[in-house]
Amino acid sequence: MHVYERGDNWTGRRGPARSVGVLDEETFQRGRASVEEGGPKGLDIDRSNSVIAVTCEEQALAFYPLASVLGSGIGPGLAP
């Protein structure tokens, strides 16, 4: 999952501020029917802004602390 920082506007080309793995490599690869696919398809943040939920066909539902996604640095993944 890519995390983007909000700037003054959304014009121009931007890259992610960080990338966070929310699927292990085997699960991610199972979802790659084509090069453009794979990874979570649904994402939501709870009302308290403390939990993020992600889902895809290969992983029914997983919850992570939002702070671990927004934290500094690029990590290899998160523990659900």
Side-chain angles (χ1 to χ4, degrees):
M1 179 172 59
H2 299 300
V3 179
Y4 292 84
E5 291 182 359
R6 180 179 58 187
D8 294 334
N9 58 53
W10 283 100
T11 61
R13 188 173 206 123
R14 292 181 177 252
R18 68 189 51 79
S19 296
V20 182
V22 293
L23 299 172
D24 61 56
E25 187 64 23
E26 180 182 337
T27 304
F28 178 77
Q29 291 300 327
R30 279 197 317 264
R32 302 230 10 168
S34 70
V35 178
E36 295 85 22
E37 296 189 24
K41 303 300 182 226
L43 178 146
D44 200 6
I45 298 172
D46 78 320
R47 289 182 183 190
S48 71
N49 286 327
S50 60
V51 176
I52 187 169
V54 294
T55 186
C56 65
E57 188 172 334
E58 292 73 31
Q59 175 176 281
L61 193 57
F63 299 94
Y64 303 95
L66 183 59
S68 65
V69 173
L70 299 179
S72 63
I74 298 175
L78 301 171

